[in-house]
Amino acid sequence: MSSAFDDFELKGHKFDNRFVVAPMTRTSADKKGKPTELMGEYYERFAKGGWSMIISEGVYTDRQASQGYINQPGITDAPQTDAWKEIVERVHEHGCKFILQLMHAGAQFQHNEYTDTPIAPSAVQPKGEPLSLYGETDGWSEVKAMDESDFDAVMQGFVGAVKRAEEAGFDGIELHAANGYLLNEFLSDYFNQREDQWGGNIGKRIKFVEMVAKAAKAAAKDDFIIGIRLGQITVTDPDYHWPEGEDAMIKLVKALKEAGIDYIHTADTDVNRKPFKGGSAKTLAEIVQEFSDIPLIVNGGIDQSNYEHVAAHYPNAMLAVAKAALANPDLPKRLKSGDKIEDLDFAMLQPTATLENEWKWRTEHDKHINDK
Ligand SMILES: Cc1cc2nc3c(=O)[nH]c(=O)nc-3n(C[C@H](O)[C@H](O)[C@H](O)COP(=O)(O)O)c2cc1C
């Protein structure tokens, strides 16, 4: 049997296999960012399906400018935290670990209950169009470059969210520094055009991410996992790459090692892609593997055709799966038993990626997994 089914250990936490559900935004909380019953059913479905860990959808961290999508869940107050607590219990009942992904939308801001003004390193809008998958919008809003008080608010938001995630019973958090959201924007020379201590060469562009990682570590108890998701591409700019090539990733990995980060989650369209400027022959995850001993979570196009190879190539990694997990919420069980693996029907996520739309699709197609 593939080593993907081997036990795995991360910061003293033991996992029965190396399969992880990748973070997926489903915009299905209530208007106040409180997780719903349907979300509990959704996350429990994966826990029953044999995954050893789930990373939640990106969750907003403060009541200023961090929310990016309508009906996005938050972790900013007691009602949100209590609702998460119930879901965490449902997931833990099946022996599955649960990580909360902390996301500040930055310039990628489509809907926010608390403000109309996005904040980002510089007053720069994302390329392309907002994502209709996450609700209707009239285009990108005008962005405000962060000032001192915004830095404080963002930092306090992340630190408060770490504490509330602990309170809700999560096993850890993942800082979302990929896909074009705020922390990723600091790393980017497109979004980050600052000329102060936070912008310029990669050494400076890393600084804020490094500071948030250190603050998250300091806020958490010893056995609480603090991971980070990294990548170059953004949801509306699949070609973006750091101007320093692989050197940017090497510097980032070394800084995160120093910050004491517990895992690095590399995100790309394809786990085997060599994404760096300058023709480097390495993947994002290979850089982590070569320049540190930090445990990895790898992501991008992992499915039944390649998971054995990916597991062998990255022996110190868990395997995060998004689309194949949506199509097969019990993928690990199916891979083990040899049961049929379904392809993802994108109609499941139309017209928007809500759980209600998925539920309608499952009813129409007689695919009610948990009822079986
Ligand atoms: C519906 C949907 C929502 C997503 N939402 C998030 C998110 O909230 N946070 C995140 O880091 N990535 C998000 N992603 C990206 C996935 O985690 C993953 O990186 C991407 O789908 C590639 O992995 P895959 O080939 O296994 O699907 C989302 C992907 C999908 C399909």
Side-chain angles (χ1 to χ4, degrees):
M1 186 168 304
S2 161
S3 66
F5 289 98
D6 286 356
D7 294 348
F8 196 81
E9 197 173 324
L10 178 61
K11 218 185 175 199
H13 295 259
K14 299 211 180 347
F15 300 85
D16 292 342
N17 61 47
R18 296 162 62 193
F19 289 101
V20 177
V21 178
M24 282 179 278
T25 289
R26 303 307 305 267
T27 58
S28 296
D30 74 11
K31 277 292 244 187
K32 293 188 163 165
K34 204 171 109 186
T36 55
E37 167 59 26
L38 213 48
M39 288 170 63
E41 189 271 328
Y42 165 75
Y43 283 114
E44 188 177 8
R45 184 191 301 168
F46 295 118
K48 285 183 185 170
W51 302 84
S52 69
M53 185 158 95
I54 299 167
I55 304 173
S56 78
E57 61 205 282
V59 167
Y60 68 84
T61 50
D62 62 46
R63 300 166 89 78
Q64 278 97 13
S66 63
Q67 183 184 2
Y69 300 119
I70 191 163
N71 295 116
Q72 184 186 0
I75 184 99
T76 66
D77 62 10
Q80 291 170 354
T81 306
D82 290 347
W84 275 119
K85 197 171 187 176
E86 284 177 29
I87 301 180
V88 173
E89 280 165 12
R90 288 174 75 164
V91 166
H92 279 166
E93 237 170 71
H94 306 280
C96 182
K97 308 278 181 198
F98 203 2
I99 299 282
L100 189 70
Q101 187 182 60
L102 301 185
M103 169 179 143
H104 191 301
Q108 259 170 201
F109 170 110
Q110 298 192 184
H111 177 95
N112 188 297
E113 294 290 324
Y114 313 95
T115 179
D116 293 329
T117 308
I119 57 167
S122 305
V124 173
Q125 288 179 343
K127 290 186 178 169
E129 296 296 318
L131 302 179
S132 58
L133 194 66
Y134 301 142
E136 280 176 29
T137 68
D138 303 327
W140 300 116
S141 307
E142 207 161 304
V143 180
K144 176 186 158 227
M146 284 170 63
D147 61 24
E148 278 305 311
S149 71
D150 296 316
F151 275 91
D152 286 349
V154 170
M155 187 60 94
Q156 274 176 33
F158 276 109
V159 167
V162 169
K163 292 186 175 149
R164 280 185 288 275
E166 268 189 340
E167 209 181 302
F170 284 99
D171 301 287
I173 60 96
E174 175 174 287
L175 298 170
H176 194 356
N179 302 2
Y181 299 102
L182 184 77
L183 294 180
N184 185 254
E185 289 166 7
F186 271 91
L187 303 174
S188 156
D189 70 324
Y190 168 78
F191 281 108
N192 183 353
Q193 299 177 7
R194 298 180 76 95
E195 291 176 353
D196 59 5
Q197 56 175 322
W198 307 111
N201 62 30
I202 187 66
K204 289 184 172 176
R205 303 202 308 275
I206 283 172
K207 279 278 171 260
F208 188 60
V209 174
E210 196 182 343
M211 236 174 88
V212 173
K214 283 184 178 161
K217 286 288 297 179
K221 296 200 187 86
D222 271 358
D223 65 344
F224 195 68
I225 299 167
I226 304 287
I228 190 163
R229 189 172 223 216
L230 296 176
Q232 295 181 107
I233 58 171
T234 81
V235 288
T236 64
D237 186 5
D239 299 321
Y240 179 76
H241 44 67
W242 297 314
E244 297 86 356
E246 69 172 37
D247 195 41
M249 185 69 178
I250 296 169
K251 289 213 164 68
L252 197 46
V253 168
K254 288 183 174 166
L256 291 168
K257 168 89 189 153
E258 186 142 332
I261 209 83
D262 296 315
Y263 73 74
I264 292 180
H265 181 178
T266 54
D268 214 330
T269 44
D270 179 338
V271 66
N272 295 315
R273 196 170 82 96
K274 324 260 187 264
F276 296 109
K277 185 185 169 199
S280 158
K282 298 195 178 101
T283 65
L284 288 167
E286 281 167 351
I287 298 283
V288 181
Q289 205 166 237
E290 189 174 331
F291 290 90
S292 79
D293 55 358
I294 304 174
L296 265 167
I297 298 180
V298 293
N299 168 249
I302 300 172
D303 62 14
Q304 66 276 20
S305 69
N306 62 3
Y307 77 97
E308 291 170 303
H309 172 77
V310 176
H313 188 69
Y314 299 105
N316 195 24
M318 297 183 92
L319 281 48
V321 182
K323 291 187 285 296
L326 281 185
N328 305 272
D330 52 356
L331 185 71
K333 282 191 175 168
R334 287 179 189 232
L335 290 173
K336 213 169 190 175
S337 64
D339 279 2
K340 182 170 182 277
I341 310 284
E342 305 276 352
D343 290 332
L344 178 64
D345 178 356
F346 280 93
M348 183 201 276
L349 304 171
Q350 298 300 325
T352 54
T354 64
L355 293 175
E356 203 181 322
N357 287 332
E358 177 177 342
W359 187 83
K360 281 187 201 146
W361 179 90
R362 288 196 181 281
T363 307
E364 276 164 26
H365 294 77
D366 196 21
K367 300 235 189 240
H368 272 293
I369 302 136
N370 283 340
D371 301 346
K372 279 186 192 166

